[in-house]
Amino acid sequence: MGTDTTRQPPDRATLGRYGETLAARYLRDRGLEVLERNWRCEHGEIDIVARDGACLVVCEVKTRRGTAYGDPVEAVTVAKALRLRRLAAAYVAARGVRPEQVRVDVVGVLCVRGRVPEVRHVVGVGS
């Protein structure tokens, strides 16, 4: 991903927002339309809601400074993928949209000090 900086954000919350910004840019660059970021309801939060053609895409973004605990995308468990499916249903109901398909994706952002951030997009987790 061609990012103009290798500086890391100072704290965890800022790192998460930075990763979400990179993920949204990455998805847009690949033709997805980002509809919303950080959509919340009583059941939780969706980091990014996007559209890929007729498909509604719910994206979980995981940002890490290193791989000591594995690749960032590995942080999304089966339970988390199922929760994202429930959140997708809540989003569809709340917004009154009728997508042909709904998909759950994970975008991992690896921000290693002194290196350009790496973005990894896993399409259709927990399907």
Side-chain angles (χ1 to χ4, degrees):
M1 166 111 201
T3 302
D4 55 285
T5 183
T6 57
R7 292 184 308 153
Q8 285 190 334
D11 61 52
R12 197 169 150 166
T14 305
L15 179 69
R17 285 190 301 276
Y18 176 74
E20 287 176 7
T21 298
L22 289 180
R25 183 182 313 151
Y26 176 91
L27 295 170
R28 280 189 198 102
D29 288 350
R30 276 142 190 85
L32 280 77
E33 178 187 0
V34 174
L35 303 174
E36 296 192 49
R37 289 180 55 184
N38 306 114
W39 182 81
R40 287 175 169 69
C41 70
E42 64 274 8
H43 305 294
E45 177 184 347
I46 300 172
D47 293 331
I48 298 174
V49 180
R51 185 181 0 232
D52 187 4
C55 184
L56 182 74
V57 181
V58 170
C59 277
E60 176 72 7
V61 180
K62 291 295 183 185
T63 307
R64 299 287 186 268
R65 294 183 196 274
T67 57
Y69 297 102
D71 190 274
V73 298
E74 294 172 355
V76 177
T77 63
V78 172
K80 177 66 174 182
L82 291 172
R83 184 167 179 257
L84 289 165
R85 283 220 164 274
R86 288 190 299 273
L87 283 166
Y91 179 86
V92 166
R95 292 294 188 250
V97 296
R98 295 182 182 265
E100 289 182 24
Q101 291 181 296
V102 176
R103 183 177 85 211
V104 176
D105 290 2
V106 177
V107 177
V109 181
L110 185 60
C111 296
V112 176
R113 189 174 306 281
R115 293 183 12 206
V116 174
E118 296 174 34
V119 177
R120 181 172 168 216
H121 181 197
V122 180
V123 176
V125 300
S127 309

